[in-house]
Structures are given as structure tokens and as C-alpha cells.
Amino acid sequence: MSDEGWNAFSDRVAWQAAFHATCDACPRPDAAALALINDRNASVLVAVSALMDRRSDSVEDDSPLTQEVARLDAKLNVLMEIVNRLLLPQSGLPPRVPLRFNAAGAVLSWAALPPVGEPVLLKIHFDVCRALPLELPGLRLPGPVDGKGFVGFEGLSEAVRDGIERLVFRQHRRQVAEARALGRPAEGASEPM
């Protein structure tokens, strides 16, 4: 699984950033628990994707409907921030850790990872929706480089894998567009760790 999982991970685009995240040893979930995790993850991915997609206001389209949608979008963003602060204040979040992930797994530069071979649960909190973490069951595997650990995900449904791939791809595309706008090469979106 180690080489196969690592190859599947390294062949895909990955999102690299500092996320509020935890990775704890836990028993492998049974079928019923895994179905619940996958259902929650699908909901989290829909919410995160919707909240991350910013509508760009076109100068050419200043219709009253477009302006109203932009106002509603701004109000929804404020409401989500209030809910995030009430449900999970900044002080209640786990610390930010550098991590790189995609639908196959995650690389974490973290000394406190469980030992190699242990089943784990990686929880990633996104800034746009802090109260709803993405919960990714997997297996702690040897890392690609000293000081880093690799978690190969196990038991994710196809819908969750597809959702993660779409989210990672959109983030990568966003980073490339921002880098081009600033006239510099894209950083970290798909570079090996």
C-alpha cells in the first residue's frame, strides 16, 4: 500500500497550505461509521466549495439582479463568519500545520503523528467553514522525506474523492491565475514536498 498510495498521491495535483488540522490514531471505522463520515464529508465539501467560489462582478453586467445577488452574497459571507465564530472560536481550533493533500492522501510535516502502520483520522478545518471539518480516515505510512509523514486515505466514497479533486483543482487554478496576474510562477500547488 505504501508505494502504491504514495504514487497515487504524487501523480495528482495537491493543495498545499497551513490548515487548522489534527491527525490522531483511531480504530478503523466500521461500514456504518464510514457511511456517516462520507455523508458528512460530502456535505462539508459542498459547503466549502460554495463558500470559496467568489462571484466576480462583471463591469459589463450592472443589472439590478446582479447587484442584488452580490449584496446577498456579501450578507451570506458575514452571516457565515458570525456562525463560525459562535460555533468554533479561533481559540477552539487546532493549531495550523503545513499540509499538502488531495483525494489520495496527505503529507504532514509533523513530529506528533501516530506511528507508521496506525489507522488515523485526519481532520482539516477550512477557514471559510471552520466548524465543519473534513474527516479523512486513513493509514499512517512512511513519508517521502525525513521529518514528514504520509497518510493514505482509506474508505472514502467516490463522491467524496471527486469532491476533494474538484476542490483541489479549483484552488490550484485560482493560485495559477493569481500568480499570472502578479507576473510570477505559481507556488506550491503541485510541487513535491
Side-chain angles (χ1 to χ4, degrees):
M1 169 70 184
S2 176
D3 289 339
E4 183 180 313
W6 174 250
N7 289 337
F9 172 80
S10 60
D11 288 345
R12 291 182 165 102
V13 173
W15 183 354
Q16 181 174 331
F19 294 95
H20 293 284
T22 59
C23 187
D24 298 313
C26 71
R28 282 191 169 102
D30 62 18
L34 197 53
L36 287 173
I37 289 170
N38 279 315
D39 285 346
R40 281 193 309 259
N41 283 341
S43 297
V44 169
L45 287 166
V46 167
V48 168
S49 292
L51 292 169
M52 286 183 68
D53 285 344
R54 299 286 181 222
R55 292 180 180 88
S56 59
D57 294 330
S58 173
V59 177
E60 299 167 4
D61 189 11
D62 278 336
S63 70
L65 180 59
T66 303
Q67 292 174 357
E68 185 60 28
V69 169
R71 279 192 290 276
L72 288 173
D73 185 49
K75 289 177 183 179
L76 180 62
N77 289 338
V78 169
L79 182 61
M80 282 305 301
E81 184 58 30
I82 291 169
V83 169
N84 275 329
R85 288 182 186 188
L86 289 175
L87 290 178
L88 189 61
Q90 191 74 20
S91 61
L93 285 170
R96 285 192 185 269
V97 293
L99 88 95
R100 182 173 172 233
F101 80 100
N102 60 30
V107 172
L108 304 99
S109 55
W110 209 341
L113 281 174
V116 172
E118 287 281 321
V120 298
L121 184 64
L122 174 64
K123 292 183 182 181
I124 302 172
H125 297 262
F126 296 93
D127 289 334
V128 294
C129 195
R130 294 189 307 252
L132 301 173
L134 192 60
E135 298 175 329
L136 305 163
L139 187 63
R140 167 69 159 86
L141 301 168
V145 182
D146 289 341
K148 298 197 175 25
F150 175 62
V151 174
F153 299 144
E154 295 181 333
L156 299 182
S157 69
E158 194 63 33
V160 170
R161 287 186 185 280
D162 288 346
I164 293 171
E165 288 294 333
R166 281 192 302 275
L167 181 67
V168 168
F169 179 75
R170 278 192 295 242
Q171 179 63 21
H172 174 70
R173 193 173 63 196
R174 213 174 276 123
Q175 287 175 328
V176 168
E178 288 171 2
R180 283 185 181 159
L182 296 174
R184 59 182 170 80
E187 295 178 28
S190 60
E191 296 173 6
M193 281 187 82

